[in-house]
Amino acid sequence: MSVRQQVLVLYLGTSALDSPVVGWSVYDGTGRTSPTTGDGDEPPYASGVAALRDGWRLFQAAQLIPPYPGGEYDVSFLKHEFFFEKLVDVPGGPGTGERAG
């Protein structure tokens, strides 16, 4: 058996892990699935806490940066970004995946 990483990126409405998901991306290092951005209308979890309860491990949260004065309502990137991972056993040994050449 070999271990591969699955990554879940959740963009939340606020910096609180229990706030609603407003955007997401999923990456599967096992090769079992091939999710793409925009391939679903419903987020995989309602909140970051729901992902934690399902076994995802939080490994990065966005820095809290206050808006510049006068820029509180500017449209920009989604700033409450949280990265989660799961480590999954897959058949085969090291080096069975694709590598950039």
Side-chain angles (χ1 to χ4, degrees), residues 2 5 10 14 32 38 50 53 57 61 68 76 79 85 98:
S2 183
Q5 183 182 41
L10 297 180
T14 72
R32 294 177 184 161
R53 288 181 180 147
R57 301 179 336 168
Y68 293 107
S76 185
K79 60 184 173 181
E85 74 169 352
E98 296 178 24

Side-chain angles (χ1 to χ4, degrees), residues 36-97:
T36 60
T37 302
D39 65 357
D41 293 333
E42 295 293 321
Y45 297 97
S47 68
V49 171
L52 290 173
R53 288 181 180 147
D54 195 35
W56 289 90
R57 301 179 336 168
L58 177 64
F59 70 91
Q60 181 177 336
Q63 294 181 13
L64 297 180
I65 301 171
Y68 293 107
E72 294 87 355
Y73 302 103
D74 288 347
V75 177
S76 185
F77 61 93
L78 298 172
K79 60 184 173 181
H80 304 297
E81 179 180 62
F82 295 83
F83 283 81
F84 298 82
E85 74 169 352
K86 272 190 182 179
L87 299 177
V88 179
D89 288 327
V90 294
T96 58

